[in-house]
Coordinates of all heavy atoms in Angstrom, one line a residue:
M16 N 53.0 177.7 122.2 CA 53.1 176.2 122.3 C 54.6 175.9 122.4 O 55.4 176.4 121.7 CB 52.5 175.7 121.0 CG 52.4 174.1 121.0 SD 52.0 173.4 119.4 CE 50.2 173.6 119.5
G17 N 54.9 175.0 123.4 CA 56.3 174.6 123.6 C 56.8 173.5 122.7 O 56.0 173.0 122.0
K18 N 58.0 173.2 122.9 CA 58.6 172.1 122.1 C 58.1 170.8 122.7 O 57.9 170.6 123.9 CB 60.1 172.2 122.2 CG 60.7 173.2 121.3 CD 62.2 173.0 121.2 CE 62.8 173.8 120.1 NZ 64.2 173.5 119.8
K19 N 58.0 169.9 121.8 CA 57.6 168.5 122.2 C 58.8 167.8 122.8 O 59.9 167.9 122.3 CB 57.1 167.8 120.9 CG 56.6 166.4 121.1 CD 56.1 165.8 119.8 CE 55.9 164.4 119.8 NZ 55.6 163.8 118.6
K20 N 58.5 167.1 123.9 CA 59.6 166.4 124.6 C 60.0 165.2 123.7 O 59.1 164.4 123.2 CB 59.2 165.9 125.9 CG 59.2 167.0 126.9 CD 59.5 166.5 128.3 CE 59.7 167.7 129.2 NZ 60.1 167.2 130.5
E21 N 61.3 164.9 123.6 CA 61.7 163.8 122.7 C 62.0 162.6 123.6 O 62.5 162.7 124.7 CB 63.0 164.2 122.0 CG 63.5 163.2 121.0 CD 64.5 163.8 120.1 OE1 65.2 164.7 120.4 OE2 64.7 163.2 119.0
D22 N 61.7 161.5 123.1 CA 61.9 160.2 123.7 C 63.4 160.0 123.9 O 64.2 160.2 123.0 CB 61.4 159.1 122.9 CG 61.5 157.7 123.4 OD1 62.2 157.5 124.5 OD2 61.0 156.7 122.9
P23 N 63.9 159.8 125.2 CA 65.3 159.6 125.4 C 66.0 158.5 124.6 O 67.1 158.7 124.2 CB 65.4 159.3 126.9 CG 64.1 159.6 127.5 CD 63.1 159.6 126.4
E24 N 65.3 157.5 124.3 CA 65.8 156.4 123.5 C 66.1 156.9 122.1 O 67.1 156.5 121.5 CB 64.9 155.2 123.5 CG 64.9 154.4 124.8 CD 64.0 153.2 124.7 OE1 63.9 152.6 123.6 OE2 63.5 152.8 125.8
I25 N 65.1 157.6 121.5 CA 65.3 158.2 120.2 C 66.5 159.2 120.1 O 67.3 159.1 119.2 CB 64.0 158.9 119.7 CG1 62.8 157.9 119.7 CG2 64.2 159.5 118.3 CD1 63.0 156.7 118.7
L26 N 66.6 160.0 121.2 CA 67.7 161.0 121.2 C 69.0 160.3 121.3 O 69.9 160.6 120.6 CB 67.5 161.9 122.4 CG 68.6 163.0 122.6 CD1 68.6 163.9 121.3 CD2 68.3 163.8 123.8
A27 N 69.1 159.2 122.1 CA 70.3 158.4 122.2 C 70.7 157.8 120.8 O 71.9 157.8 120.4 CB 70.2 157.4 123.3
L28 N 69.7 157.3 120.1 CA 70.0 156.7 118.8 C 70.4 157.8 117.8 O 71.3 157.6 117.0 CB 68.7 156.0 118.3 CG 68.8 155.2 117.0 CD1 70.0 154.2 117.0 CD2 67.5 154.5 116.7
K29 N 69.8 159.0 117.9 CA 70.2 160.1 117.0 C 71.6 160.5 117.3 O 72.4 160.7 116.3 CB 69.3 161.3 117.2 CG 67.9 161.1 116.5 CD 67.0 162.2 116.8 CE 67.4 163.6 116.6 NZ 66.3 164.6 116.8
M30 N 72.0 160.5 118.5 CA 73.4 160.9 118.9 C 74.3 159.8 118.4 O 75.4 160.2 117.9 CB 73.5 161.1 120.4 CG 72.7 162.3 120.9 SD 73.1 163.9 120.2 CE 74.5 164.3 121.3
E31 N 74.0 158.6 118.5 CA 74.8 157.5 118.1 C 75.0 157.6 116.6 O 76.1 157.4 116.1 CB 74.1 156.1 118.4 CG 74.9 154.9 118.0 CD 74.2 153.6 118.3 OE1 73.5 153.5 119.3 OE2 74.3 152.7 117.5
L32 N 74.0 157.8 115.8 CA 74.1 158.0 114.4 C 74.9 159.2 114.0 O 75.7 159.1 113.1 CB 72.7 158.1 113.8 CG 71.8 156.8 113.8 CD1 70.4 157.1 113.5 CD2 72.4 155.7 112.9
A33 N 74.7 160.3 114.7 CA 75.5 161.5 114.5 C 77.0 161.2 114.7 O 77.9 161.6 113.9 CB 75.1 162.6 115.4
A34 N 77.3 160.4 115.7 CA 78.7 160.1 116.0 C 79.3 159.2 114.8 O 80.4 159.4 114.4 CB 78.8 159.3 117.3
E35 N 78.5 158.3 114.4 CA 78.9 157.4 113.3 C 79.2 158.2 112.0 O 80.0 157.8 111.2 CB 77.8 156.3 113.0 CG 77.7 155.3 114.0 CD 76.6 154.3 113.8 OE1 76.1 154.2 112.6 OE2 76.2 153.5 114.7
L36 N 78.4 159.3 111.8 CA 78.6 160.1 110.6 C 79.6 161.2 110.8 O 79.9 162.0 109.9 CB 77.2 160.7 110.2 CG 76.1 159.8 109.8 CD1 74.8 160.5 109.6 CD2 76.5 159.1 108.5
G37 N 80.2 161.3 112.0 CA 81.2 162.3 112.3 C 80.6 163.7 112.5 O 81.3 164.7 112.3
L38 N 79.4 163.7 112.9 CA 78.7 165.0 113.1 C 78.5 165.4 114.6 O 78.0 166.4 114.9 CB 77.3 165.0 112.4 CG 77.3 164.8 110.9 CD1 75.9 164.6 110.4 CD2 78.0 166.0 110.2
L39 N 78.9 164.5 115.5 CA 78.7 164.7 116.9 C 79.3 166.0 117.5 O 78.6 166.8 118.2 CB 79.2 163.5 117.7 CG 78.7 163.5 119.2 CD1 77.2 163.5 119.3 CD2 79.3 162.2 119.8
E40 N 80.5 166.3 117.1 CA 81.2 167.5 117.6 C 80.4 168.8 117.1 O 80.3 169.7 117.8 CB 82.6 167.6 117.1 CG 83.4 168.7 117.7 CD 84.9 168.7 117.3 OE1 85.4 167.6 117.1 OE2 85.5 169.8 117.2
K41 N 80.0 168.7 115.8 CA 79.2 169.9 115.3 C 77.9 170.1 116.0 O 77.6 171.3 116.3 CB 78.9 169.6 113.8 CG 78.4 170.7 113.0 CD 78.2 170.4 111.5 CE 77.8 171.5 110.7 NZ 77.7 171.2 109.3
I42 N 77.3 169.0 116.4 CA 76.0 169.1 117.2 C 76.3 169.7 118.6 O 75.6 170.5 119.1 CB 75.3 167.8 117.2 CG1 74.8 167.4 115.8 CG2 74.1 167.8 118.2 CD1 74.4 166.0 115.7
E43 N 77.4 169.2 119.2 CA 77.7 169.6 120.6 C 78.1 171.1 120.6 O 77.8 171.8 121.6 CB 78.9 168.8 121.1 CG 78.5 167.3 121.5 CD 79.6 166.4 121.8 OE1 80.8 166.8 121.6 OE2 79.4 165.3 122.4
Q44 N 78.7 171.6 119.5 CA 79.1 173.0 119.5 C 78.0 173.9 119.1 O 77.9 175.0 119.7 CB 80.3 173.2 118.5 CG 81.6 172.6 119.0 CD 82.7 172.7 118.0 OE1 82.5 173.2 116.9 NE2 83.9 172.3 118.4
G45 N 77.1 173.5 118.2 CA 76.1 174.4 117.7 C 74.7 174.0 117.8 O 73.8 174.6 117.3
G46 N 74.5 172.8 118.4 CA 73.1 172.3 118.5 C 72.7 171.6 117.2 O 73.4 171.7 116.2
W47 N 71.5 171.1 117.2 CA 70.9 170.4 116.0 C 70.7 171.4 114.9 O 70.8 171.0 113.7 CB 69.6 169.7 116.4 CG 69.8 168.6 117.3 CD1 69.6 168.5 118.6 CD2 70.3 167.3 116.9 NE1 69.9 167.3 119.1 CE2 70.4 166.5 118.1 CE3 70.7 166.7 115.7 CZ2 70.8 165.2 118.1 CZ3 71.1 165.4 115.8 CH2 71.2 164.6 116.9
G48 N 70.5 172.7 115.2 CA 70.3 173.7 114.2 C 71.6 174.0 113.3 O 71.5 174.6 112.3
A49 N 72.7 173.5 113.8 CA 74.0 173.8 113.1 C 74.2 172.8 111.9 O 75.0 173.0 111.1 CB 75.2 173.6 114.1
L50 N 73.3 171.8 111.9 CA 73.4 170.8 110.8 C 72.8 171.4 109.5 O 71.8 172.1 109.6 CB 72.8 169.5 111.2 CG 73.3 168.7 112.3 CD1 72.5 167.5 112.6 CD2 74.8 168.4 112.1
S51 N 73.3 171.0 108.4 CA 72.7 171.3 107.1 C 71.4 170.4 106.9 O 71.3 169.4 107.6 CB 73.6 171.1 105.9 OG 73.9 169.7 105.7
S52 N 70.6 170.7 106.0 CA 69.4 169.9 105.8 C 69.8 168.5 105.3 O 69.2 167.5 105.6 CB 68.5 170.6 104.8 OG 69.1 170.8 103.5
A53 N 70.9 168.4 104.5 CA 71.4 167.1 104.0 C 71.9 166.3 105.2 O 71.6 165.1 105.2 CB 72.5 167.3 103.0
E54 N 72.6 166.9 106.1 CA 73.1 166.1 107.3 C 71.9 165.7 108.2 O 71.9 164.5 108.6 CB 74.0 167.0 108.1 CG 75.3 167.3 107.4 CD 76.2 168.4 108.0 OE1 75.6 169.3 108.7 OE2 77.4 168.4 107.8
S55 N 71.0 166.5 108.4 CA 69.8 166.2 109.2 C 69.0 165.1 108.5 O 68.5 164.1 109.2 CB 68.9 167.4 109.4 OG 69.5 168.4 110.1
G56 N 68.9 165.2 107.2 CA 68.2 164.2 106.4 C 68.8 162.8 106.5 O 68.2 161.8 106.5
K57 N 70.1 162.8 106.5 CA 70.9 161.6 106.5 C 70.6 160.9 107.9 O 70.4 159.7 108.0 CB 72.4 161.8 106.4 CG 73.3 160.6 106.3 CD 73.1 159.9 105.0 CE 74.1 158.7 104.9 NZ 73.8 157.8 103.8
I58 N 70.7 161.7 109.0 CA 70.4 161.1 110.3 C 69.0 160.6 110.4 O 68.7 159.5 110.8 CB 70.7 162.2 111.4 CG1 72.2 162.5 111.5 CG2 70.1 161.7 112.7 CD1 72.5 163.6 112.4
G59 N 68.0 161.4 109.8 CA 66.6 161.0 109.8 C 66.4 159.7 109.1 O 65.6 158.9 109.5
G60 N 67.0 159.6 107.9 CA 66.9 158.4 107.1 C 67.4 157.1 107.8 O 66.8 156.1 107.8
L61 N 68.6 157.3 108.4 CA 69.2 156.1 109.1 C 68.3 155.8 110.3 O 68.2 154.6 110.7 CB 70.6 156.5 109.5 CG 71.6 156.6 108.3 CD1 72.9 157.1 108.8 CD2 71.8 155.2 107.6
L62 N 67.8 156.8 111.0 CA 67.0 156.6 112.2 C 65.7 155.8 111.8 O 65.4 154.9 112.5 CB 66.6 158.0 112.8 CG 65.7 157.9 114.0 CD1 66.5 157.3 115.2 CD2 65.3 159.3 114.4
A63 N 65.1 156.2 110.7 CA 63.9 155.6 110.3 C 64.2 154.1 109.9 O 63.4 153.2 110.3 CB 63.3 156.3 109.1
R64 N 65.3 153.9 109.3 CA 65.6 152.5 108.9 C 65.9 151.6 110.1 O 65.4 150.5 110.1 CB 66.9 152.6 108.0 CG 67.2 151.3 107.3 CD 68.4 151.3 106.3 NE 68.2 152.4 105.4 CZ 69.2 153.2 104.9 NH1 70.4 152.9 105.2 NH2 69.0 154.1 104.1
R65 N 66.6 152.2 111.1 CA 66.8 151.4 112.3 C 65.6 151.1 113.1 O 65.4 150.1 113.7 CB 67.8 152.1 113.2 CG 69.2 152.1 112.6 CD 70.3 151.9 113.7 NE 71.6 152.0 113.1 CZ 72.6 152.3 113.7 NH1 72.6 152.7 115.0 NH2 73.8 152.4 113.1
L66 N 64.7 152.1 113.1 CA 63.4 151.9 113.9 C 62.5 150.9 113.2 O 61.8 150.2 113.9 CB 62.7 153.2 114.0 CG 63.3 154.3 115.0 CD1 62.6 155.6 114.9 CD2 63.4 153.7 116.4
R67 N 62.5 150.8 111.9 CA 61.7 149.9 111.1 C 62.3 148.4 111.4 O 61.5 147.5 111.4 CB 61.8 150.1 109.6 CG 60.5 150.9 109.2 CD 60.5 151.0 107.7 NE 61.2 152.3 107.3 CZ 62.1 152.5 106.4 NH1 62.5 151.5 105.7 NH2 62.6 153.6 106.2
K68 N 63.6 148.3 111.5 CA 64.2 147.0 111.8 C 63.7 146.4 113.1 O 63.5 145.2 113.2 CB 65.7 147.1 111.8 CG 66.4 147.0 110.5 CD 67.9 146.9 110.8 CE 68.7 147.0 109.5 NZ 70.2 146.9 109.8
G69 N 63.5 147.3 114.1 CA 63.0 146.9 115.4 C 64.1 146.5 116.3 O 64.7 146.3 117.0

């Protein structure tokens, strides 16, 4: 089973949030797997909050 394709709008928002948190360089160098669970959770929480706002 392959990876699920991510919505480009969601990916753009995740990248924007990562930049706001100062994590963009870390992601660019090591991919999303380079983040700690706390860092990923912070991005996920902010993403959920923004998506709920609409």
Side-chain angles (χ1 to χ4, degrees):
M16 189 186 276
K18 282 191 171 188
K19 187 176 162 185
K20 284 207 171 188
E21 189 167 21
D22 181 353
E24 288 183 27
I25 300 295
L26 181 58
L28 184 54
K29 282 172 56 175
M30 295 300 276
E31 180 183 324
L32 291 168
E35 288 177 15
L36 295 172
L38 299 171
L39 191 56
E40 186 175 329
K41 189 173 185 178
I42 293 167
E43 289 172 346
Q44 289 178 356
W47 292 100
L50 298 179
S51 69
S52 58
E54 292 166 335
S55 294
K57 185 71 173 169
I58 291 172
L61 292 171
L62 179 65
R64 191 174 309 148
R65 287 218 186 154
L66 290 175
R67 262 188 267 131
K68 271 187 187 179

